[in-house]
């Protein structure tokens, strides 16, 4: 399927829960970067007596909806945790299904990304990603690298600790002067170089943990956990997360609420 993501008009029907949530959003204070730990596919399938892989298939539909909703809202960066360094511990057929679904997603959605001015960026250890998927990812990244509307960051074979170690190694190789090392310099060696820290981190399926996701970057991120399982995640859940986020006071260690860290 191919279509243009226009504005919210026509996407949100008047008189619905979604419309009421949109009314509550202050579009001048949107989170610039929303990150999502997409969790609960296995439980969703279990509840329906289906194999776990069916949960992952259903989850890819939620990915499409989250990308579209975020782009229409005007979010600049959407990071999706799709495969962790630790997910290799899962049964081989589940692992294969996950990578297969990603290839299918890229084949079906690359045109949607291109036509809607969306950029794809991968973070994580690329060398461990199956070759055919890696090649497809590189193709879509190249195809979309000049797009500006929103960046979709896919965390694949990603682990926060491994990312930090990799960054330290690169930094030590290039910079020997200890006094040059500070937070900004270090952040430039992370996979997320150039991407602002997430303002809002959503985790589905009710788990209250980071599971090795964006450990450095989420130092002052607002966390929002929902019991909704990822295959059931819809635009209204994203809207609710943003409404709740905007009600929070972000203080960054001070006493007064601040809009953005840089403005202190
Ligand atoms: C998230 O759902 C998908 C990935 C981790 C790739 P899970 O597969 O972890 O689902 P649960 O946590 O077992 O329900
Ligand atoms: C986190 O979910 C990883 C992804 C969503 C890709 P997991 O299901 O792997 O995390 P744990 O094992 O419950 O911490
Ligand atoms: Mg899980």
């Amino acid at each position: 399927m191919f279509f243009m993501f226009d504005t919210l008009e026509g996407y949100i029907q008047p008189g619905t829960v979604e419309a009421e949530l949109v009314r509550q959003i202050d579009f001048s204070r949107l989170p610039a970067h929303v990150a999502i730990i997409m969790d609960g596919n296995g439980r969703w399938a279990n509840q329906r007596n289906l194999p776990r892989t069916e949960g992952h298939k259903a989850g890819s539909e939620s990915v499409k909806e989250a990308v579209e909703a975020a782009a229409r809202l005007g979010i600049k960066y959407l990071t999706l945790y799709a495969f962790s360094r630790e997910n290799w511990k899962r049964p081989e057929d589940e692992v294969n299904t996950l990578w297969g679904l990603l290839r299918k997603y890229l084949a079906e959605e690359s045109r949607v990304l291109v036509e809607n001015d969306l950029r794809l960026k991968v973070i994580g250890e690329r060398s461990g990603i199956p070759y055919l998927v890696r090649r497809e990812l590189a193709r879509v990244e190249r195809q979309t690298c000049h797009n500006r509307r929103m960046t979709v960051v896919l965390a694949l074979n990603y682990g926060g600790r491994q990312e930090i170690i990799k960054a330290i190694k690169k930094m030590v190789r290039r910079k020997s002067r200890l006094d040059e090392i500070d937070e900004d310099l270090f952040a430039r060696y992370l996979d997320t170089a150039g991407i602002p820290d997430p303002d809002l981190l959503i985790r589905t399926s009710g788990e209250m943990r980071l599971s090795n996701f964006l450990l450095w970057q989420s130092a002052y991120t607002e966390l929002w956990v929902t019991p909704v399982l990822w295959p059931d995640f819809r635009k209204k859940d994203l809207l609710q997360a943003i409404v709740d986020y905007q009600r929070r006071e972000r203080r960054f260690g001070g006493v007064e609420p601040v809009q953005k860290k840089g403005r202190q």
Side-chain angles (χ1 to χ4, degrees):
M1 190 176 51
F2 167 69
F3 54 90
M4 290 291 286
F5 300 164
D6 208 354
T7 54
L8 288 173
E9 215 175 315
Y11 182 63
I12 303 288
Q13 304 313 317
T16 56
V17 185
E18 286 88 351
E20 176 49 28
L21 289 165
V22 167
R23 197 190 57 74
Q24 294 173 49
I25 293 175
D26 173 354
F27 283 87
S28 70
R29 292 194 305 118
L30 279 178
H33 183 175
V34 175
I36 308 182
I37 302 178
M38 310 184 287
D39 198 13
N41 295 352
R43 276 163 282 174
W44 184 92
N46 273 344
Q47 286 173 0
R48 289 164 177 73
N49 285 318
L50 294 168
R52 293 175 57 83
T53 47
E54 288 301 314
H56 298 313
K57 279 185 202 149
S60 3
E61 291 307 311
S62 305
V63 171
K64 292 180 194 168
E65 178 146 343
V67 169
E68 180 175 358
R72 284 181 185 268
L73 278 162
I75 304 289
K76 298 310 285 181
Y77 296 88
L78 176 70
T79 298
L80 301 170
Y81 199 9
F83 196 93
S84 77
R85 284 286 279 252
E86 290 74 29
N87 285 148
W88 293 105
K89 292 176 193 163
R90 297 183 177 206
E92 202 182 328
D93 70 324
E94 182 173 345
V95 167
N96 291 339
T97 298
L98 284 166
W99 291 115
L101 282 169
L102 176 63
R103 268 186 78 192
K104 188 161 171 276
Y105 174 84
L106 293 169
E108 289 172 3
E109 296 299 292
S110 66
R111 207 170 146 210
V112 172
L113 297 174
V114 170
E115 297 293 333
N116 287 290
D117 196 21
L118 308 181
R119 176 169 74 126
L120 183 79
K121 159 120 186 93
V122 175
I123 57 169
E125 190 47 58
R126 274 166 199 268
S127 59
I129 296 175
Y131 174 71
L132 290 175
V133 186
R134 210 186 329 150
R135 201 177 59 178
E136 199 57 13
L137 286 164
R139 182 183 67 80
V140 182
E141 277 186 311
R142 237 186 350 261
Q143 236 183 345
T144 62
C145 66
H146 298 300
N147 292 352
R148 285 288 164 263
R149 182 177 181 178
M150 180 177 85
T151 301
V152 178
V153 182
L154 282 185
L156 297 169
N157 194 23
Y158 176 86
R161 287 188 170 184
Q162 294 86 349
E163 181 194 30
I164 289 169
I165 297 288
K166 191 169 72 178
I168 292 171
K169 286 183 179 169
K170 268 202 265 176
M171 189 175 67
V172 170
R173 235 176 266 135
R174 288 192 207 158
K175 293 265 166 202
S176 45
R177 292 217 0 237
L178 274 182
D179 57 355
E180 279 175 351
I181 298 174
D182 61 13
E183 290 173 23
D184 287 339
L185 180 82
F186 179 68
R188 276 186 249 145
Y189 287 94
L190 292 166
D191 291 359
T192 51
I195 298 173
D197 288 341
D199 300 293
L200 170 62
L201 171 56
I202 296 173
R203 184 163 188 156
T204 56
S205 88
E207 305 298 348
M208 304 273 187
R209 54 177 173 264
L210 289 176
S211 302
N212 206 10
F213 189 44
L214 300 177
L215 297 182
W216 170 274
Q217 298 86 340
S218 59
Y220 271 101
T221 299
E222 294 296 327
L223 310 180
W224 190 84
V225 176
T226 173
V228 170
L229 304 174
W230 179 249
D232 292 326
F233 190 89
R234 289 292 168 267
K235 54 178 172 285
K236 73 166 170 356
D237 303 299
L238 180 66
L239 295 169
Q240 185 68 60
I242 294 171
V243 167
D244 291 350
Y245 162 85
Q246 292 190 330
R247 290 193 185 125
R248 308 250 184 109
E249 263 190 12
R250 301 184 77 186
R251 299 198 194 138
F252 298 97
V255 285
E256 298 290 341
V258 264
Q259 297 288 0
K260 279 272 177 241
K261 210 173 155 189
R263 288 204 207 148
Q264 280 174 97

